[in-house]
Amino acid sequence: MGLNIFYHFGRYLLLLKSAFAKPEKFSMYWKETIRQMYDIGVGSLIIVFIISIFIGAVSAVQYSYQLSDSFIPKYYIGYIVRDSTIIELAPTITCLVLAGKVGSNIAAEIGGMRQKEHIDAMEIMGVNTAGYLIMPKIIAAITMIPVLVCIAAFVSISGGYMAVVIPKLLTGEEFIYGLHSFYVPYNVFMMFVKAFVFAFILTTVSCYQGYYVKGGSVELGVASTQAVVYSDILILLADYFIAMILTF
Amino acid sequence: MIRTEDIIKSFGETEVLKGISITFETGKTNLIIGSSGAGKTVLLKLLVGLFKPTAGKVWYDDIDFCNIGKKQAREIRMDVGMLFQGNALFDSMSVEENIAFPLDMFTNKTKAEKLARVNYCLERVNLDGQNSKFPSEISGGMQKRVGIARAIVLEPKYLFCDEPNSGLDPKTSMVIDELIQDITYENNITTVINTHDMNSVMEIGDNIALLHFGKLAWQGNKSEVLTSENDTLKGFIFASPFLQKLRQTAIENPK
């Protein structure tokens, strides 16, 4: 088991090395990158929007409930929703969800290509398949996922606003005042660092799972599931280390 | 010309190819035949570089294909076309995009030049006007022909076909066989076909190599197949009473 981890990690690093080799033709890679950016970015907007609005709403209502009998000013709800969203909820929850949506999709797409001999066909043509199939996905993900996380943060805070202002748990002015209080721009930097790292993890792990798939549809299903499970675990692990590194 | 020299290929403890030495001649259709599990596909994948041999060498003319750098291997692969058993057409691309893929990736031709080449290849495989169709919208035989068109679009010096007749009716199989043979003769390329289709053997077998449990059991051409006394060949080709009768007739009436 222990040696198996080293085997997979070594193979993962070698795959990444091949993925970042010089492209055969820049224009083909660029075209594929744009397609991936659209799939990952635009294709994930609705799910990110839905998840974010509810996370913001629920967290605002929960904070409101917990602070209701305390002497802590109500505007703190806006402040807590903002910081918890920017620092943790937007990057982490969004990327965990994207690991499910985008990660499983990537693993199934590449795995399907492996099983249908598409990858072999490209190899025989002389295409660096790791480069052509993986590099555009990584570039697309590390470009679009931070944008999605940014949108998620905005929508989540908006959801929080609506969830507490509409039922009059606090006024709109109080919530906005809370949003403006104790603002630390460094937290936004932390959000983008997390988004960037998580995007890299979920894409590369999913590509790895798909690229080396063997067997038939059952194995493809397993690879797709593993892509999500391993991405989620590694995202949470990375979340901890980033928090440790960036807050000390 | 492609030549293998004492090729051995093992997967774990299982030795699939046990010292194969064959020469595949230029301008001829070279067939690899054998029953399932004989090692045909493994040999074909070794020839195109998808597998590395455990021992032995693969020569492309005077180049040792197993001991060259990535750059030189890529240069050789530019001269290789391959038709896969399952066609390996990209589902999300149209027929035209599938055929144009190698041109897009490796040439600096203009759009018009690429389209002209794609149309020529489509015409060559009798599929003119099917540019905008997707693989799922055409029949198995047409997919094979698109696969051939894509394989020849870069004007390869070597053409490999893995079971080109699998899943096709006898008439369509014959069309595919004739097409491959015509392309081989017209362009003087080295064609290697992996098959267990007896019609192909009798129709287009310029050079035939029979593999049996990973060993080269027999070599010859289509005119020698009917009269050969090789037991492995007889056991493989003349398995059915009808073919046994055919062989007997051929021996009794050689003309």
Side-chain angles (χ1 to χ4, degrees):
Chain A
M1 176 66 186
L3 283 175
N4 213 14
I5 289 174
F6 288 118
Y7 168 75
H8 285 292
F9 186 63
R11 201 161 64 149
Y12 167 81
L13 292 180
L14 288 173
L15 183 66
L16 286 187
K17 189 183 160 218
S18 303
F20 285 100
K22 192 183 166 206
E24 293 87 2
K25 199 168 183 189
F26 183 78
S27 61
M28 287 292 280
Y29 278 61
W30 177 243
K31 204 170 132 189
E32 181 62 12
T33 305
I34 297 295
R35 188 178 78 83
Q36 293 296 335
M37 284 170 96
Y38 182 84
D39 284 354
I40 294 172
V42 181
S44 307
L45 263 179
I46 292 175
I47 184 83
V48 166
F49 192 91
I50 292 169
I51 299 279
S52 307
I53 202 158
F54 281 103
I55 283 174
V58 171
S59 52
V61 170
Q62 293 286 352
Y63 296 139
S64 163
Y65 164 71
Q66 284 177 308
L67 301 182
S68 58
D69 292 331
S70 73
F71 293 108
I72 299 171
K74 278 186 172 178
Y75 74 85
Y76 262 59
I77 293 168
Y79 154 59
I80 297 170
V81 167
R82 182 202 69 207
D83 269 8
S84 61
T85 298
I86 290 175
I87 296 171
E88 188 60 29
L89 296 177
T92 310
I93 302 290
T94 303
C95 288
L96 289 175
V97 170
L98 288 178
K101 197 227 167 239
V102 176
S104 62
N105 188 289
I106 287 174
E109 181 187 324
I110 297 181
M113 291 183 80
R114 168 69 73 195
Q115 291 181 334
K116 287 179 174 175
E117 296 182 309
H118 292 175
I119 293 181
D120 286 349
M122 286 188 192
E123 288 278 349
I124 289 166
M125 287 175 201
V127 178
N128 170 16
T129 52
Y132 182 65
L133 296 175
I134 296 175
M135 196 208 300
K137 287 181 173 62
I138 296 174
I139 292 172
I142 61 177
T143 312
M144 295 313 292
I145 289 178
V147 176
L148 287 172
V149 166
C150 200
I151 292 169
F154 177 78
V155 173
S156 183
I157 292 169
S158 306
Y161 176 88
M162 288 187 281
V164 288
V165 173
I166 292 171
K168 297 187 170 39
L169 295 172
L170 78 163
T171 65
E173 289 74 26
E174 282 176 313
F175 192 88
I176 299 290
Y177 183 73
L179 288 183
H180 289 156
S181 306
F182 318 114
Y183 176 64
V184 183
Y186 181 74
N187 290 347
V188 177
F189 166 73
M190 209 148 50
M191 176 182 83
F192 279 118
V193 169
K194 285 186 177 184
F196 185 84
V197 173
F198 297 165
F200 185 81
I201 289 172
L202 79 87
T203 322
T204 53
V205 169
S206 305
C207 287
Y208 174 79
Q209 291 296 333
Y211 195 80
Y212 289 112
V213 77
K214 281 182 181 160
S217 52
V218 173
E219 286 76 9
L220 186 58
V222 170
S224 198
T225 307
Q226 282 179 340
V228 179
V229 173
Y230 294 151
S231 296
D232 282 352
I233 293 169
L234 289 171
I235 284 171
L236 293 171
L237 202 66
D239 190 24
Y240 170 74
F241 283 113
I242 292 170
M244 290 288 284
I245 293 164
L246 295 183
T247 55
F248 273 98
Chain B
M1 185 184 70
I2 301 171
R3 188 163 54 87
T4 67
E5 197 179 298
D6 290 323
I7 288 284
I8 294 171
K9 178 65 185 173
S10 302
F11 294 97
E13 288 179 5
T14 312
E15 202 174 60
V16 179
L17 297 179
K18 301 164 184 172
I20 304 270
S21 298
I22 313 178
T23 300
F24 302 103
E25 291 177 40
T26 304
K28 290 189 174 172
T29 45
N30 302 273
L31 269 59
I32 304 169
I33 60 170
S35 49
S36 301
K40 304 189 298 290
T41 301
V42 173
L43 178 60
L44 202 73
K45 287 191 171 178
L46 271 162
L47 292 176
V48 294
L50 288 176
F51 289 154
K52 283 211 175 266
T54 309
K57 288 177 177 175
V58 175
W59 295 89
Y60 274 70
D61 295 322
D62 55 351
I63 299 168
D64 179 0
F65 189 52
C66 303
N67 290 303
I68 50 174
K70 273 187 179 175
K71 199 182 164 193
Q72 205 179 357
R74 202 160 285 170
E75 278 167 16
I76 288 181
R77 280 178 166 167
M78 296 284 290
D79 286 330
V80 168
M82 181 151 178
L83 173 64
F84 282 83
Q85 187 175 356
N87 306 316
L89 298 177
F90 308 130
D91 312 312
S92 58
M93 294 183 190
S94 66
V95 164
E96 183 181 309
E97 288 166 335
N98 261 288
I99 299 170
F101 185 83
L103 294 171
D104 289 336
M105 190 60 103
F106 297 110
T107 69
N108 291 316
K109 288 181 192 288
T110 63
K111 263 189 178 178
E113 286 170 334
K114 281 189 265 191
L115 184 62
R117 179 68 192 156
V118 168
N119 284 339
Y120 168 79
C121 291
L122 276 173
E123 206 176 299
R124 188 65 200 81
V125 297
N126 301 319
L127 282 178
D128 14 348
Q130 305 290 331
N131 302 45
S132 57
K133 295 253 174 76
F134 280 81
S136 59
E137 296 170 343
I138 56 178
S139 69
M142 288 163 93
Q143 286 180 15
K144 289 277 181 202
R145 283 187 274 164
V146 175
I148 294 173
R150 187 177 66 182
I152 62 169
V153 74
L154 286 180
E155 299 176 71
K157 281 159 69 178
Y158 313 98
L159 179 64
F160 296 90
C161 306
D162 188 12
E163 308 265 5
N165 311 111
S166 73
L168 298 181
D169 62 87
K171 199 177 171 188
T172 312
S173 290
M174 214 167 70
V175 172
I176 298 291
D177 282 343
E178 281 170 6
L179 187 58
I180 293 170
Q181 192 173 42
D182 289 348
I183 288 167
T184 304
Y185 294 164
E186 277 167 26
N187 304 293
N188 194 35
I189 56 182
T190 308
T191 298
V192 182
I193 303 169
N194 178 356
T195 187
H196 47 222
D197 185 278
M198 284 313 108
N199 290 327
S200 303
V201 172
M202 302 313 294
E203 291 291 333
I204 60 166
D206 292 337
N207 280 333
I208 303 164
L210 170 69
L211 295 193
H212 188 63
F213 291 115
K215 286 185 177 169
L216 181 61
W218 180 83
Q219 254 190 306
N221 58 48
K222 61 186 176 189
S223 57
E224 293 166 344
V225 167
L226 282 176
T227 52
S228 169
E229 287 301 326
N230 183 292
D231 288 335
T232 313
L233 182 75
K234 283 196 284 182
F236 173 67
I237 291 190
F238 306 106
S240 74
F242 171 74
L243 289 170
Q244 284 167 12
K245 204 173 168 185
L246 182 73
R247 179 172 187 271
Q248 198 55 41
T249 311
I251 292 169
E252 286 165 7
N253 307 296
K255 284 184 181 175

